[in-house]
Amino acid sequence: MPLPKPILVPVLGDQLTRNLASLRGREKDDTVILMMEVWDEATYVKHHKQKIALIFSAMRHFAGKLRAAGWTIDYIHLTDQDNSGSFTGEVARAIERHDPRAVHIVEAGEWRVQQAIEEWPDKFDCPVEILPDDRYLCSIAEFNQWAEDRKTLRMEFFYREMRRKTGLLMDGDKPEGGEWNYDSENRKPPKDGLSAPQRPLFEPDAITREVIALVEGQFADHVGSLDSFGWPVTRDEAEDTADAFIAERLPCFGDYQDAMVYGEDDLFHSMLSTSINLGLLDPIDLCERAAKEYYEGNAPLNAVEGFIRQIIGWREYVRGFYWRFMPGLESDNALDAHRPLPEFYWTGETDMRCMADAVRSTVDNAHAHHIQRLMVLGNFALIAGLDPRQVQDWYLIVYADAYQWVELPNVAAMVLYADGGKLASKPYAASGNYINKMSNYCSDCVYSVSKKTGEGACPFNALYWHFMDQHRERLEKNNRVSRIYSNWDRMGEERQAEYLDSAEAFLETLEPAKDGWARD
Ligand code: FAD
Ligand code: DLZ
Ligand code: SF4
């Protein structure tokens, strides 16, 4: 009897879980799992070195674990001689090698890859089944249904649906404690000397060391350094990171969620995004564990609710938003912003202490925490009128947790308002006051945060009014913003001109990024 033909199951780099829809219920002797390190993915933008090393190392560890459990793994290494460089090319070669009776793949996280996969049924002489990615709480169809008849797609209302759906922090049909959202308690400025317990860092093992050498050799001109690589690359390591967060940092997660402290890169954030996005951790399981801490009296409600909202609220919402508005979201530019990304986004060489610290953390760790991404790096990009495509590339490149489905809505819609307000009710524009209130950056900055214009003034102050002035026609109609223009008008023309001249003079000094950082 000839052996029955197997099912070929390609597993992509961000699908590293045994609970993947294409693997669940499969028999080992009837399945060939294909994993592919390919040039197209590693270079469509020039990802941070730590991001590539993390993904390849996690892929290799996952493959090793499955192989040890008796699965047949066909693993394509980046430098294999016949590697075609693309998912499509590698699946075609694998079909020739294994002659499968069908290909089963879970839909891709990114539009670009999904477009390629959708061509496979016509390209290959073999049935292809594309399965929904059910690692998310809300399917794409369910999000579209929720969004269909709404004028505005505010996350808060979506989030309440997800609370009801999961029963997380619900007291019958009411939210635990009476409120859906405890953010008003989550805006504490940092106390002097605020510092958080160190998260676990993992010494690279032999597999990771081999990947690090590969990345050093093949991607030498990509941003970042691998010297401090300590990301969790296995499920066990990711679980250790989650355990440490829940025990040591979750109780303060809410209070200091928006705080920034010079040189404190993680503060009370979970540092779990890389592991969740790769598939090493189950997001709902994490939320259930956090809720248990509240019910057992180990963490306050504002912390636990805040953490759960980031995951079943924001994370699920941006994924639905991405699929609803792609491919247009990528090229949206509602504010007609065209200034090139400044070189200091890559080097950190700027006198603005807040920007320098956020870029340093980004380049050193392939990570910056949320409020640095939003209110420092993002706010600057917004009020300086930086080109959305260049800003999008930058965020996708520099963060180890960046995949377009989560990066793009955050950057194009939340930060840059390039979608014209589908996601946010108003642009998150802020002057230096906000950064001063929420951080200890300003006291030692070359610039003076209290000085509004002229020599030595904090650039955020004049850029803020310059931005508001430039977009008056659009923003004045927005009743959440319109009253700000009364303040502007009260300043009088002479003072306004000082603001605008200061901003223009500062913008003139920006050196555009050199070619070659983002793409070859
Ligand atoms: P925590 O602060 O501990 O939050 C817990 C978890 O909630 C995170 O791990 C993440 O899974 C989820 N989460 C929190 N905020 C968001 C959000 N706005 N959107 C989606 N999920 C969220 N997150 C990414 O995973 N990849 C990205 O490419 C990415 N790009 C961003 C770009 C910008 C401009 C902004 C403002 C935010 C971006 N975020 C992105 C969201 C957020 O900043 C990161 O998820 C977070 O900093 C990761 O660190 P953490 O795990 O310690 O998060
Ligand atoms: C980001 C990335 C990189 C750098 N390299 C690979 C790779 O070689 N092989 C792979 O399977 N996945 C890689 N990834 C992650 C993919 O880009 C990710 O799986 C897509 O976002 C799926 O849409
Ligand atoms: Fe940033 Fe302005 Fe504060 Fe300097 S003074 S750290 S530029 S906000």
Side-chain angles (χ1 to χ4, degrees), residues 253 269-273 277 310 367 370 373 401-402 406 410:
F253 176 86
H269 294 274
S270 69
M271 303 301 284
L272 294 174
S273 53
N277 293 349
Q310 304 315 309
H367 191 91
H370 184 70
R373 295 190 206 194
D401 58 21
V406 50
N410 274 297

Side-chain angles (χ1 to χ4, degrees), residues 11-14 36-38 41-42 44 47 51-52 55-56 59 87 108-110 112-113 403:
V11 172
L12 305 180
D14 57 356
M36 308 157 270
E37 293 172 8
V38 292
E41 291 308 299
Y44 72 93
H47 309 279
K51 179 178 176 187
I52 304 179
I55 293 170
F56 286 3
M59 286 172 65
F87 287 143
E110 297 191 343
R112 179 181 51 79
V113 178
Y403 301 86

Side-chain angles (χ1 to χ4, degrees), residues 134-258:
D134 56 14
R135 290 177 296 164
Y136 296 91
L137 183 59
C138 179
S139 70
I140 295 165
E142 194 183 342
F143 185 89
N144 282 330
Q145 208 174 19
W146 172 80
E148 202 50 54
D149 297 322
R150 284 169 195 265
K151 266 210 199 112
T152 56
L153 302 182
R154 298 295 166 246
M155 194 288 294
E156 187 61 31
F157 297 106
F158 170 83
Y159 165 58
R160 292 178 191 179
E161 297 292 317
M162 295 301 111
R163 287 274 294 278
R164 290 191 186 97
K165 181 171 180 178
T166 54
L168 281 161
L169 297 183
M170 293 300 292
D171 179 7
D173 60 356
K174 300 261 181 330
E176 191 64 50
E179 304 288 338
W180 290 102
N181 179 321
Y182 291 90
D183 242 3
S184 55
E185 296 173 34
N186 290 355
R187 297 188 187 118
K188 293 205 177 42
K191 297 184 284 212
D192 271 355
L194 182 72
S195 157
Q198 168 72 49
R199 82 185 136 120
L201 292 172
F202 301 93
E203 190 63 33
D205 65 3
I207 294 176
T208 303
R209 287 198 301 275
E210 199 177 317
V211 166
I212 286 176
L214 172 80
V215 174
E216 297 281 20
Q218 302 288 340
F219 306 102
D221 65 338
H222 288 214
V223 67
S225 148
L226 289 154
D227 295 345
S228 63
F229 187 96
W231 290 107
V233 293
T234 63
R235 188 185 170 93
D236 287 346
E237 290 177 350
E239 289 290 358
D240 287 349
T241 310
D243 289 347
F245 166 69
I246 286 175
E248 296 164 12
R249 302 204 303 286
L250 175 64
C252 289
F253 176 86
D255 287 358
Y256 298 115
Q257 204 178 340
D258 287 359

Side-chain angles (χ1 to χ4, degrees), residues 354-371:
C354 53
M355 291 293 282
D357 192 51
V359 173
R360 182 212 40 80
S361 172
T362 302
V363 173
D364 284 0
N365 312 323
H367 191 91
H369 61 73
H370 184 70
I371 210 70

